[in-house]
Amino acid sequence: MADIDRIIEELLGSRRISEGAAFSGHSYHDQPIIERGSDLRVRMEQRERERAARRQRDAQRRRQRARTKAPTPDKHERLDDWLLSRDFVQGRSDSSAFERSRRQEPQPERIREMRALERGGAVARLAYGSGSSAALFVQQAKLMADYEDDYEFYGGFSQYYPTYAAMTDHQLRGYFSWRSGVRAGHMEPAPLSFAFVYVYELLAGIGVEPGRAGFEALRAFGDAYRAADEANGAKLSGYLRRWLRDYAIYHEMPDLLATRPHDELGTSVIVLLRAEHALLRRHGLEPRIANEAARGDMPTEQQLFCALGATSTYHICEARLAKDEEALVTHVACDVFEALVAHCAKRRKSDYVEGVFGYATELPYTMFSAAIFSEETPHRDCEVRVSDLERYTCAGGRWRRLRACEASARSPELAVALHAVDRELREQLD
């Protein structure tokens, strides 16, 4: 009660009076302060009694649970119902009721070895997605490559750049149990972060032979996971399409890549580039920008005409006049193309085809962007040609992407010229 008296003393200060003189010698303005002090004493005494009663009830409840050895309160019939209704949280939280219930369970020896790698690598200082965390992940993945578990897992796991280090021991055992089922051909719905970790393992060659077998395993896993969980599978597929392409290029297997629509467009643009460079040199000029993809002989008129039709929004090759007077339309269209090339060489700062479809680009490229990926040794120097439009080179472990042009769609500008050819010829031929 000394604390209560001290608080009241601080509130009243020199204005405190005796209880006997509370309503005799005080002024009108003192009474609210005195009443406030009295109320405070009563409230604090009441609060202390309530706290004591609450502690007594809690102690009695704990003694009753210890006698009956019940894992949950009486109103809950199952452990998992209790976990879901209490303060269970997803993620690594030592304060959760579920973690407290699992803390005393013995860890498998292999998981203890894996945790030792984290302590050796000062995992607390590793940023998720960094090169250091990726190297640690690959090191742990190799240690756990053949590990299997059969563990009943409750809860979830959600993490950007998910790794083993981001999981609790409970989540780790849940992941490895789920992975054991996946490897046995039993795909069960699982947190999206589990699926990402499994993909990271396949990218690192864990559990599969790198190369064609790894490519097929990645594709099969994506299909199976999407069938088991359509929503999360769709999210994974957005990343997996890019990683599958990178995987084929990284392992120098471009034949596994399907042809894309703009690859066919790029092939036709390359024909135009070859024709343009050949025409410039025929007139004693040099292209303003060198382009290795444009090396080669001058295409035939038929090849050039087909390329013009394939890169223009006006389908001149399918026009009635082109079918009736194919040789004439082909020859005139190629002559007009040559005139446009000569005009741009003299009047513009860019050559004609580059001005319409963009220039060749060579930029650094990051393999498996947004994935946890680490190399023990740099990739050997190589060149991977995906198409005439696109190729990748690796030198000193650094990748670069080269594109012969920036074409991604047919050109309406070229269509204006070809449509004019068709119209003028129709008028001349009546």
Side-chain angles (χ1 to χ4, degrees), residues 181-358:
V182 172
R183 289 181 173 181
H186 306 295
M187 174 63 70
E188 296 291 338
L192 181 59
S193 294
F194 276 10
F196 273 106
V197 171
Y198 188 78
V199 169
Y200 299 159
E201 290 181 351
L202 295 180
L203 293 178
I206 304 301
V208 66
E209 186 68 23
R212 295 181 182 273
F215 184 88
E216 293 300 330
L218 280 167
R219 185 160 57 184
F221 172 76
D223 295 340
Y225 184 73
R226 185 162 188 169
D229 188 337
E230 186 174 356
N232 284 331
K235 297 177 183 178
L236 179 65
S237 296
Y239 293 91
L240 199 54
R241 280 192 296 270
R242 182 170 72 249
W243 293 339
L244 275 169
R245 186 173 180 82
D246 287 351
Y247 190 91
I249 296 168
Y250 184 85
H251 292 281
E252 304 177 43
M253 303 178 299
D255 57 295
L256 295 179
L257 299 177
T259 301
R260 297 183 293 184
H262 63 269
D263 290 336
E264 299 178 356
L265 174 66
T267 302
S268 298
V269 174
I270 297 300
V271 175
L272 299 184
L273 283 170
R274 286 170 50 202
E276 180 181 47
H277 287 204
L279 289 170
L280 289 172
R281 294 190 178 96
R282 183 183 296 175
H283 291 84
L285 301 174
E286 283 295 326
R288 290 184 172 91
I289 299 177
N291 194 327
E292 294 183 5
R295 293 178 180 177
D297 298 331
M298 176 71 184
T300 64
E301 282 192 347
Q302 184 62 37
Q303 291 173 336
L304 179 57
F305 181 68
C306 291
L308 289 170
T311 55
S312 166
T313 55
Y314 180 69
H315 304 276
I316 190 172
C317 297
E318 301 174 7
R320 174 66 180 273
L321 182 62
K323 295 179 179 179
D324 293 345
E325 301 287 346
E326 181 178 1
L328 176 62
V329 176
T330 299
H331 182 71
V332 173
C334 292
D335 281 351
V336 170
F337 175 78
E338 183 175 356
L340 288 170
V341 169
H343 171 79
C344 292
K346 296 177 181 179
R347 304 285 183 175
R348 292 188 179 180
K349 294 182 179 180
S350 61
D351 293 332
Y352 178 66
V353 178
E354 280 86 353
V356 173
F357 293 104

Side-chain angles (χ1 to χ4, degrees), residues 115-185:
R115 291 302 193 198
L117 293 176
E118 295 176 14
R119 293 190 293 273
V123 68
R125 296 194 297 270
L126 300 180
Y128 293 118
S130 68
S132 300
S133 65
L136 173 63
F137 174 80
V138 173
Q139 187 179 7
Q140 291 178 316
K142 290 183 177 180
L143 175 65
M144 309 298 287
D146 59 347
Y147 178 75
E148 295 183 355
D149 207 334
D150 185 10
Y151 182 77
E152 189 173 1
F153 175 67
Y154 297 97
F157 172 58
S158 179
Q159 173 76 42
Y160 285 109
Y161 295 106
T163 61
Y164 305 129
M167 300 184 196
T168 63
D169 293 343
H170 165 67
Q171 290 166 342
L172 272 175
R173 296 197 63 186
Y175 168 74
F176 287 122
S177 299
W178 172 77
R179 187 185 74 172
S180 300
V182 172
R183 289 181 173 181

